[in-house]
Amino acid sequence: MSDDNNCCFCNGRLIVISGPSGAGKDTIVNSLLLKDERFSLSVSATTRAPRPGEKDGVNYYYVNVGEFEKMIKDGEFIEYTKYGSSYYGTLKSDVKKRINNGKIVVLVIEVQGAENVRKIFPDCLSIFIMPPSFEILEQRLRDRCSENEDEIKKRLKIAKTEVEKRFEYDIVVENDILDETVKNVHNKILEKLDLT
Ligand code: 5GP
């Protein structure tokens, strides 16, 4: 790794959050960010289309496949993966900028990406968000009306393999009642990172 890629700049300042699509990761993380300004959310690049209300540079950097593949070639990602029908990748520049601003950076990424990040940053804190059941997960995915039937089926299939990996994470939290989950996740982060 070149100096620019050196992972040491992240030591102890990285939180990785995974869980099946529809488990509530984004909602939990948004509440955490409002609760504690020491955290900052990494904005990934993706080739999927923005959902209604999503904004470029806020939710993701939206790029086309050609642009994403050039970014891979140029070494712009800490990790990247194909999930469902789209590419997603964690940007070195975005994470570095937040770390340099003194923040603890939160990555909300799927399990393969999390595995890769844990290899590069062994002292990151990893958290897996479990849905209360697969039935509730399916219901939540359908209720948000953002994916078509084919994509929902793909996501439910991926969810089964993701849940099997939960024991690879430092912390596993079930998201049943949102407010309690947020408190629980926040307390566990404070304890593990020795923050007051
Ligand atoms: P969504 O399309 O629902 O926004 O995201 C689909 C999945 O991709 C989610 O599990 C989300 O956490 C994950 N994801 C988002 N950004 C990244 C990334 O940069 N890298 C990886 N590996 N997964 C990501």
Side-chain angles (χ1 to χ4, degrees):
M1 261 188 188
S2 73
D3 276 355
D4 192 43
N5 289 343
N6 196 307
C7 59
C8 297
F9 71 89
C10 278
N11 278 352
R13 310 198 62 82
L14 206 57
I15 298 172
V16 179
I17 301 190
S18 302
S21 180
K25 301 172 304 252
D26 292 331
T27 318
I28 294 165
V29 169
N30 287 335
S31 299
L32 272 178
L33 297 176
L34 288 176
K35 221 176 160 63
D36 196 325
E37 61 183 18
R38 290 171 291 187
F39 304 138
S40 180
L41 178 64
S42 155
V43 179
S44 295
T46 185
T47 58
R48 88 148 161 72
R51 293 181 186 135
E54 288 187 347
K55 288 201 178 81
D56 189 47
V58 176
N59 303 90
Y60 285 104
Y61 296 101
Y62 299 94
V63 297
N64 62 37
V65 173
E67 287 166 333
F68 197 99
E69 287 172 348
K70 179 166 189 311
M71 291 163 85
I72 297 173
K73 246 195 236 145
D74 292 345
E76 290 191 36
F77 294 114
I78 291 173
E79 64 73 40
Y80 68 90
T81 197
K82 196 148 196 204
Y83 179 97
S85 317
S86 309
Y87 278 121
Y88 296 84
T90 306
L91 289 160
K92 285 178 191 164
S93 56
D94 190 87
V95 172
K96 212 165 183 172
K97 176 183 79 188
R98 292 170 203 278
I99 295 279
N100 287 343
N101 284 340
K103 298 290 184 180
I104 295 169
V105 179
V106 181
L107 308 183
V108 182
I109 60 178
E110 51 67 65
V111 292
Q112 187 54 55
E115 202 171 319
N116 293 333
V117 168
R118 274 198 303 267
K119 279 187 201 142
I120 307 169
F121 307 107
D123 71 347
C124 70
L125 176 64
S126 60
I127 303 173
F128 192 90
I129 306 295
M130 275 290 286
S133 69
F134 276 103
E135 290 70 31
I136 292 177
L137 185 73
E138 181 165 0
Q139 197 55 51
R140 286 180 184 166
L141 274 177
R142 292 190 185 287
D143 286 350
R144 73 184 189 193
C145 298
S146 52
E147 282 81 26
N148 61 31
E149 190 55 32
D150 184 46
E151 191 65 32
I152 289 176
K153 287 211 173 98
K154 274 189 193 157
R155 286 180 178 229
L156 288 171
K157 194 167 164 211
I158 297 171
K160 302 233 154 130
T161 58
E162 287 181 311
V163 160
E164 283 166 15
K165 303 245 175 176
R166 67 190 181 281
F167 297 116
E168 295 173 9
Y169 288 71
D170 299 314
I171 299 168
V172 180
V173 177
E174 185 181 301
N175 180 23
D176 190 359
I177 298 163
L178 182 67
D179 286 353
E180 283 176 20
T181 309
V182 172
K183 257 190 236 155
N184 197 356
V185 170
H186 190 220
N187 287 340
K188 287 194 156 120
I189 292 174
L190 297 186
E191 187 189 316
K192 289 271 185 186
L193 295 187
D194 210 10
L195 300 168
T196 44

